Amino acid sequence: MATLIVVDDHPIWREAIARDLTAAGHRVLAVCGEGKAALTAIRELRPEVAILDLQLPDLSGVQVLQGLGEDCPTAALILSASGESAHVLDAMKAGARGYLVKSASAAELADAVERVAAGDAVFTPGLAGLVLGEYRRLANAGGAERPKLSERETEVLRLVAKGLNYREIAERLVLSQRTVQNHVQHILTKLQLHNRAQLVRYAIEQGIDGD
């Protein structure tokens, strides 16, 4: 189970989220109602996951992500009332690892927190397709040359993009989990990326996530 903070400007809502996630076994380190307070709490407490609303009274959720930077070890899960693709894309480009709309159930949120903490990218059903389509459109328009990956590295990257964890990838490719982890680390180094969420975005942009 994950350590986390909850950031939302509605007191009743954030307390309800914290209560539900605590009941699910996660450890809530803090709740915040503003972006600046969230930045301070994340830097000081270093939770595994930060649940962020996009609409905050001082900084937006995207600005909080931008303020944390890519080196921050905390994974961000956006929980927003908005399901617009532009908001989802802005959040993912800023470094969010997942995006749920507030109609998600308590069980879905608790599961998303656990998956995001494990390095997976998580979307509310229906949003993933919008994001995939937009990333592919941008990739086709960009035409940038991508670093050369080996056949095995490309195979591992494709399975990471499908949401498989290390154990599942190891079983699929008949490898040890340590070997899979080493492949992922080599891919991260080669592509100059920092985490699995960025790998997923790269695979989407380059069309490596298909069958």
Side-chain angles (χ1 to χ4, degrees):
M1 293 298 171
T3 58
L4 53 93
I5 71 167
V6 178
V7 186
D8 194 287
D9 63 336
H10 294 286
I12 295 176
W13 180 261
R14 67 174 177 260
E15 294 295 342
I17 294 172
R19 186 170 55 251
D20 288 343
L21 290 174
T22 299
H26 296 296
R27 184 182 172 204
V28 179
L29 302 180
V31 294
C32 304
E34 297 182 344
K36 291 179 181 178
L39 281 171
T40 299
I42 293 170
R43 288 167 179 159
E44 291 181 353
L45 301 175
R46 301 176 72 83
E48 294 174 80
V49 179
I51 298 175
L52 290 171
D53 190 7
L54 288 180
Q55 302 299 324
L56 298 170
D58 52 354
L59 303 176
S60 69
V62 168
Q63 288 174 316
V64 172
L65 289 172
Q66 292 169 338
L68 291 172
E70 293 185 347
D71 293 333
C72 178
T74 299
L77 172 62
I78 300 297
L79 183 62
S80 173
S82 172
E84 294 184 17
S85 59
H87 291 160
V88 182
L89 285 169
D90 286 344
M92 298 305 291
K93 289 174 182 176
R97 193 174 293 175
Y99 195 111
L100 294 183
V101 295
K102 287 185 174 180
S103 59
S105 68
E108 289 172 332
L109 177 58
D111 178 67
V113 166
E114 190 167 351
R115 291 174 59 196
V116 164
D120 294 333
V122 181
F123 295 94
T124 289
L127 293 183
L130 294 173
V131 177
L132 294 180
E134 181 64 11
Y135 271 127
R136 286 189 176 124
R137 185 188 68 78
L138 293 174
N140 291 336
E145 183 178 354
R146 74 190 188 202
K148 181 68 174 177
L149 299 179
S150 70
E151 186 174 333
R152 175 64 83 185
E153 288 170 341
T154 300
E155 195 171 16
V156 170
L157 177 56
R158 181 177 293 112
L159 296 177
V160 168
K162 287 179 176 295
L164 275 66
N165 59 33
Y166 291 137
R167 179 184 57 78
E168 292 167 334
I169 295 172
E171 291 175 354
R172 181 77 64 89
L173 300 180
V174 195
L175 300 171
S176 70
Q177 290 190 51
R178 174 64 64 182
T179 298
V180 172
Q181 289 174 326
N182 288 339
H183 277 308
V184 171
Q185 188 56 54
H186 290 159
I187 296 168
L188 286 168
T189 300
K190 186 176 288 188
L191 300 179
Q192 298 184 335
L193 300 176
H194 298 88
N195 53 51
R196 283 172 55 117
Q198 291 180 346
L199 278 182
V200 171
R201 291 200 297 273
Y202 177 85
I204 292 169
E205 291 168 359
Q206 301 298 334
I208 302 177
D209 60 311
D211 293 321

